[in-house]
Structure formats: C-alpha cells, structure tokens
C-alpha cells in the first residue's frame, strides 16, 4: 500500500513538473531528464517523512520549501542561471503540490457524497 502511494505521488509529480518545464519553454533533454532524477531524490524522502514521522501542515509546508531550495540548487547546477532555477523549482513544485491538494479535496468530497 505504501509503495503504491509513493509511486503514485512520484509519477504524478514527475509528469506535472515535466509538463510545467515544457510550458516554460525548456527543451534541453538533460534538464528534462534531470527533473525526473531530482524528483526521485526529493519526492520520496519527503513523502516518507510525512507518512511515518509528521504529517502536520507546518511540516508539509516546511518540507516543500526545503524541496524548492534543493531542486533550485540542482537546476542551477544544470542551467547556471539562478533566477531561472528558482522559477523552475518554485512553479513546478507549487503546481504539483496544489494539484495534489486539489485531488485530495476532490476525493474527500466525492467519498462523502
């Protein structure tokens, strides 16, 4: 059960962030491919921490902020452009996070009706 939840979160995040990068005009296969690796390195640990240690709102928000910084650093190493690295990281993570929240709210809504 946990593995399927982690895979669902990871796959949906990778797909959403890949599309966001494409919409932002990124065409480098190195950057696009690296986004998959970057997400594996950040998404799984954050989700494991939230599942097993602390799932409070503060922890999730703080964890997402840490992920934004880590991913921005990784994009900076690839792009050598700080503002673009933070734009990529911030937008990708914001959109994937908000999509996840929306999906959870819809699930709760439809389960209660």
């Amino acid at each position: 059960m946990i593995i399927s939840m982690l895979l669902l979160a990871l796959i949906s995040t990778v797909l959403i962030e890949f599309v966001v990068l494409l919409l932002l005009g990124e065409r480098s296969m190195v950057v696009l491919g690296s986004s998959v690796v970057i997400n594996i390195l950040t998404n799984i640990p954050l989700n494991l921490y939230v599942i097993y240690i602390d799932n409070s709102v503060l922890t999730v928000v703080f964890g997402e902020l840490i992920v934004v910084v880590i991913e921005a650093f990784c994009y900076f190493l690839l792009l050598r452009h700080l503002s673009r690295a933070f734009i990529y990281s911030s937008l990708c993570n914001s959109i994937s996070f908000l999509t996840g929240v929306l999906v959870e709210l819809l699930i709760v809504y439809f389960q209660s009706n």
Side-chain angles (χ1 to χ4, degrees):
M1 180 71 161
I2 294 297
I3 292 174
S4 60
M5 286 176 24
L6 289 172
L7 283 174
L8 180 61
L10 177 63
I11 291 168
S12 59
T13 298
V14 165
L15 290 173
I16 290 166
E17 294 192 16
F18 194 88
V19 169
V20 171
L21 289 172
L22 288 173
L23 290 172
L24 289 171
E26 185 56 57
R27 297 296 180 258
S28 166
M29 290 311 292
V30 172
V31 173
L32 294 170
S34 295
S35 72
V36 174
V37 175
I38 292 168
N39 275 295
I40 291 169
L41 296 174
T42 57
N43 185 283
I44 294 172
L46 178 58
N47 280 305
L48 285 172
Y49 188 86
V50 168
I51 290 168
Y52 287 112
I53 310 251
D54 184 3
N55 65 353
S56 67
V57 172
L58 185 60
T59 297
V60 172
V61 170
F62 187 66
E64 286 291 336
L65 289 174
I66 292 171
V67 165
V68 167
V69 171
I70 292 169
E71 290 186 10
F73 177 73
C74 293
Y75 285 124
F76 174 73
L77 293 175
L78 294 166
L79 301 166
R80 297 291 183 203
H81 196 271
L82 188 60
S83 62
R84 188 161 22 140
F86 268 101
I87 289 169
Y88 280 9
S89 180
S90 299
L91 283 176
C92 285
N93 283 288
S94 297
I95 292 169
S96 65
F97 176 77
L98 292 173
T99 302
V101 170
L102 178 62
V103 168
E104 281 191 50
L105 290 172
L106 289 172
I107 289 169
V108 168
Y109 174 78
F110 285 110
Q111 284 179 343
S112 67
N113 287 331

